[in-house]
Amino acid sequence: MTAKSQGSGLVPAHNMPRRATYVPDIDVLRAVAVILVILFHFFPYVVPGGYVGVDIFFVISGFVISRSYLEPILSNQTTLRAFYVARLRRLSPALFVVLLVSTIAAYSLILPNSLTLYAKSLIAQPFYLQNFVFWNEGDYFQSAYEKPLLHTWSLAVEAQFYIIFGLTILSLKGRRHLFLPLLGIAAVASLFVGIALAPLSPKTGFFMMPTRFWQLALGIFAYVIAARMREQRGPVVAALAMLCVASCIASGLLFDAFGPFPSLQSYVACGSAAVALILFDKHRGHGISLLMAPLRYIGRISYGLYLWHWPPIVFFILALDRAPNLLERGVLIGGAVCAAIASYHLVEQPILSRRVLPATGGVGKLVVTCSAITFAVSTLLLSTGGAVYRYPKELQNFFTATRNTGTMRCPKLFRIINPKAEICLRTHAKGSNGVLVLGDSHADVLDEMLSAIADQYNIPLYLNVRSCDLGLFNEHSFCSSQVLSDILTQAQTEGVTQVIAISRWPQERMTKEAFEAQVVLLLGYGINLTIMEAVPYGPFFDPIQRARAALADGTLRYDGYDKAIYLTDLEIQRDIFDDTVRRFGGRVSVLKPGDFLCPADVCLFHTNGKPNYMDSKHLNAVGRELLKPMFETFFSTLTDNNAPPSHR
């Protein structure tokens, strides 16, 4: 044998197949994975952990690409270029068809605010960076049913893995025997990074390739183990394979939907999938009872089914502003299955088999052309505010109101460089006598304005890194009592002497005892407290709800909301705040935004025809301006006199 054909040493020469043979059982595992995902998205309370199907897909991907390409690439029997072209043939054509249909549906069915959000994820698709877009927008479970392309985050992770896979092989050059040791080290590092990030940034662990690397690597190691084993036969092996598949199913049925990643659930699912793949590979063609034609077929169309199942339910909810009933969900699933079948037979198979676009250059031109069109369409939608020109001018203000979102907590780079930081400086001013804004998304939307005012008065202003509510720490590990202690310790170190607590404070979760206990802790650090009551909130203030109503009946309403009802809405929190002020005297005070948002006893939805809110509970730039005098007064009391330094 020549050096070129001797192999890399990962697989014994006598076990090294000339061509990867088809293993039907792998399609059974694919079917289980995609069914778990679909049932989770359509019936989340029935299959609460079904999203683990994506974890299983990652293990399968690592295994399958290894069977077809790992040994040939490492032994110079094929090239990385051929590998990447094959991956493009597999992933891109069906994806671009889904993007085309989804974009037409988005333009036709959804409102500008949702179309803008859609365009942000669409523009990242050709570059396989959509997981960064969704990571920046928040947790996977946050507003999921508003994002038609949310499920494509996993394609980005897989594509990014392929890049690392190729770069690693290139860097090894003549030392390709080091591939497995390096892969093992990287996989262990990936797992530990994910564990470390779980309490700090759950969404990072969920969406990012470095914390998913170990799952794809596990598939590669499963292949290497299978390739070194002798063929296994008999009912015991078949039973073990069935048990592993059952374990994968159980991981989706029996675990909580909102657990951290990685968790016992992902370990069970991925470990079971890896063992099942090994057994399938060594027992192929010997009548394992799992070889049922329907499941095998679902496995073959699983990629298209994964792509097609999610956009219909999201477009349904966005277009009709309600969840589908049981019958409608069945119809949507049936439609996705039909689309996946058509995609498989008319797009995927013809291109994979080279009946269409047989030349490598043809695939490249197709991908480049489709990518350019996707980028151009995305840019057009973003530049027009979600094609807001489709609506009457007076209604356009209602849609543009949703774009005035403010900043989103502490800068990402700061959080990466300072993973243990619980607060970040948001002003140019530095030094002692600083102010810490402690709160949730309601603090986020005020961050930019508060920073500008604080800079005007030369007062350092900080923001807490996590979205947590004073009085509600200890409800979950992400916002624990230890986190509050860390926030206050760091604030004290930075010279913070005043905290402004800004949240919505859901009244059903508030208790006087818990709130005052955490106030006692805060005051114990020598820091004074100012609490801002929640702003008026509810569907009445949502500009999109008003726009929908106007489109339905042709009447655009600008009426107000009775302040007395607003005060009644806040009765529980106002009583708790008032009791806290009475107990702690001058060290605790309360800001009342209702005095500025509700003049003449009416809470205003708009200012000069422009909505004050970007949704049902968050102020936009117009609404924030109404609170500016309140905060200017607050900061002025923290200086030697009431005039800003520039006016002294």
Side-chain angles (χ1 to χ4, degrees):
M1 298 178 70
T2 65
K4 184 176 181 179
S5 62
Q6 287 176 344
S8 67
L10 298 185
V11 181
H14 64 275
N15 283 0
M16 191 169 61
R18 290 181 179 273
R19 181 176 178 270
T21 54
Y22 172 62
V23 180
D25 300 286
I26 295 178
D27 281 333
V28 173
L29 193 60
R30 284 193 181 105
V32 168
V34 77
I35 290 171
L36 283 174
V37 172
I38 291 173
L39 291 179
F40 170 69
H41 284 154
F42 281 82
F43 309 101
Y45 296 104
V46 178
V47 188
Y51 61 88
V52 79
V54 175
D55 301 47
I56 297 171
F57 270 128
F58 284 144
V59 178
I60 295 173
S61 291
F63 186 87
V64 170
I65 65 169
S66 298
R67 289 189 79 246
S68 300
Y69 292 102
L70 180 60
E71 190 64 34
I73 289 175
L74 290 177
S75 59
N76 295 319
Q77 294 178 3
T78 190
T79 63
L80 280 172
R81 181 174 181 270
F83 167 72
Y84 287 125
V85 170
R87 289 291 84 195
L88 285 177
R89 282 185 180 276
R90 179 73 180 106
L91 298 179
S92 295
L95 174 62
F96 281 120
V97 173
V98 171
L99 295 181
L100 172 63
V101 175
S102 296
T103 302
I104 294 172
Y107 188 87
S108 305
L109 298 175
I110 64 179
L111 299 176
N113 61 307
S114 298
L115 189 54
T116 299
L117 190 66
Y118 173 84
K120 290 179 180 178
S121 61
L122 180 65
I123 201 170
Q125 297 288 329
F127 309 104
Y128 288 101
L129 295 174
Q130 54 268 43
N131 58 327
F132 285 90
V133 173
F134 297 125
W135 168 75
N136 189 58
E137 291 174 350
D139 185 81
Y140 174 82
F141 302 100
Q142 180 180 338
S143 305
Y145 290 99
E146 298 176 7
K147 303 170 184 177
L149 301 179
L150 176 61
H151 62 316
T152 64
W153 71 269
S154 61
L155 303 186
V157 169
E158 193 165 330
Q160 291 158 20
F161 175 82
Y162 295 152
I163 294 173
I164 299 299
F165 177 82
L167 290 176
T168 301
I169 291 175
L170 284 176
S171 66
L172 291 176
K173 296 182 179 179
R175 297 166 294 175
R176 295 185 177 183
H177 61 283
L178 297 176
F179 177 80
L180 284 184
L182 289 177
L183 185 72
I185 293 171
V188 171
S190 165
L191 183 59
F192 278 99
V193 168
I195 293 171
L197 279 174
L200 299 174
S201 180
K203 66 176 183 177
T204 301
F206 190 92
F207 279 124
M208 291 302 169
M209 188 276 293
T211 53
R212 294 284 184 172
F213 184 95
W214 67 272
Q215 296 177 320
L216 289 127
L218 182 61
I220 295 177
F221 279 112
Y223 159 73
V224 172
I225 293 171
R228 291 176 176 272
M229 290 175 58
R230 294 184 179 275
E231 196 167 273
Q232 305 293 316
R233 304 189 185 192
V236 174
V237 177
L240 286 174
M242 293 170 65
L243 182 63
C244 289
V245 174
S247 180
C248 290
I249 296 171
S251 69
L253 292 173
L254 303 179
F255 285 83
D256 181 72
F258 301 103
F261 177 84
S263 65
L264 178 61
Q265 178 186 18
S266 53
Y267 303 146
V268 170
C270 294
S272 299
V275 175
L277 289 166
I278 294 171
L279 296 175
F280 288 161
D281 188 77
K282 304 316 296 181
H283 199 282
R284 57 182 181 271
H286 302 293
I288 293 178
S289 60
L290 289 170
L291 297 183
M292 296 175 287
L295 277 180
R296 291 202 304 269
Y297 186 74
I298 292 173
R300 286 200 296 273
I301 67 169
S302 60
Y303 176 59
L305 190 52
Y306 180 79
L307 287 177
W308 285 106
H309 86 280
W310 180 244
I313 190 173
V314 176
F315 285 128
F316 183 101
I317 293 171
L318 291 175
L320 301 182
D321 196 29
R322 67 173 179 86
N325 59 36
L326 188 61
L327 176 61
E328 290 164 341
R329 293 180 196 207
V331 171
L332 292 172
I333 293 175
V337 171
C338 291
I341 292 172
S343 173
Y344 178 76
H345 291 287
L346 300 179
V347 179
E348 296 175 56
Q349 278 304 298
I351 293 178
L352 278 174
S353 64
R354 297 179 181 265
R355 296 197 305 270
V356 175
L357 299 175
T360 298
V363 175
K365 290 177 182 178
L366 173 68
V367 171
V368 170
T369 301
C370 291
S371 298
I373 294 172
T374 301
F375 185 82
V377 171
S378 306
T379 303
L380 177 63
L381 294 177
L382 288 171
S383 64
T384 58
V388 72
Y389 55 78
R390 296 173 292 169
Y391 299 92
K393 189 167 182 62
E394 61 272 17
L395 199 56
Q396 292 181 17
N397 285 333
F398 285 60
F399 294 122
T400 57
T402 63
R403 289 185 287 174
N404 300 315
T405 58
T407 56
M408 291 299 290
R409 309 210 72 79
C410 299
K412 298 292 189 298
L413 182 59
F414 171 86
R415 298 175 69 174
I416 293 171
I417 296 174
N418 305 280
K420 294 185 177 181
E422 295 292 348
I423 65 174
C424 61
L425 182 65
R426 302 298 289 142
T427 55
H428 296 99
K430 299 179 181 179
S432 57
N433 297 321
V435 174
L436 168 64
V437 180
L438 179 64
D440 56 16
S441 57
H442 295 264
D444 291 343
V445 298
L446 295 171
D447 168 28
E448 197 172 67
M449 182 184 72
L450 293 177
S451 299
I453 297 174
D455 264 330
Q456 183 183 10
Y457 286 90
N458 199 33
I459 295 175
L461 184 133
Y462 298 83
L463 182 66
N464 60 308
V465 169
R466 306 171 192 240
S467 179
C468 301
D469 307 310
L470 185 65
L472 298 178
F473 281 89
N474 234 9
E475 284 198 343
H476 50 80
S477 59
F478 187 69
C479 294
S480 64
S481 56
Q482 182 59 52
V483 170
L484 177 58
S485 295
D486 292 342
I487 290 172
L488 296 175
T489 298
Q490 293 177 25
Q492 186 182 53
T493 300
E494 295 295 334
V496 169
T497 57
Q498 182 77 39
V499 164
I500 309 177
I502 302 175
S503 296
R504 186 171 72 87
W505 284 294
Q507 304 210 93
E508 67 276 7
R509 291 159 50 197
M510 290 191 73
T511 65
K512 175 183 175 182
E513 294 73 21
F515 188 84
E516 292 194 354
Q518 291 175 24
V519 171
V520 168
L521 178 64
L522 185 152
L523 298 179
Y525 281 80
I527 299 172
N528 293 329
L529 172 65
T530 296
I531 311 162
M532 190 182 94
E533 293 178 352
V535 301
Y537 60 88
F540 179 90
F541 297 98
D542 189 347
I544 300 304
Q545 294 293 343
R546 297 229 177 187
R548 285 184 184 276
L551 291 171
D553 60 25
T555 303
L556 196 56
R557 296 170 59 241
Y558 291 93
D559 54 324
Y561 187 79
D562 193 331
K563 184 178 180 180
I565 299 177
Y566 157 62
L567 295 178
T568 301
D569 293 340
L570 298 189
E571 187 172 2
I572 293 176
Q573 73 171 244
R574 292 178 72 236
D575 287 345
I576 292 174
F577 296 163
D578 290 344
D579 286 344
T580 304
V581 171
R582 283 192 292 270
R583 177 178 175 182
F584 298 106
R587 296 198 62 188
V588 178
S589 59
V590 176
L591 298 176
K592 298 183 180 295
D595 293 344
F596 298 84
L597 298 173
C598 309
D601 295 327
V602 176
C603 299
L604 299 177
F605 161 74
H606 73 101
T607 300
N608 298 324
K610 295 182 178 180
N612 296 328
Y613 288 72
M614 65 181 185
D615 55 28
S616 62
K617 54 192 176 183
H618 294 95
L619 296 171
N620 61 20
V622 178
R624 292 194 291 269
E625 280 297 309
L626 299 177
L627 294 186
K628 191 173 183 179
M630 179 182 76
F631 286 110
E632 287 178 333
T633 300
F634 167 79
F635 280 100
S636 72
T637 62
L638 302 181
T639 61
D640 294 335
N641 57 60
N642 290 339
S646 59
H647 296 163
R648 289 178 185 173

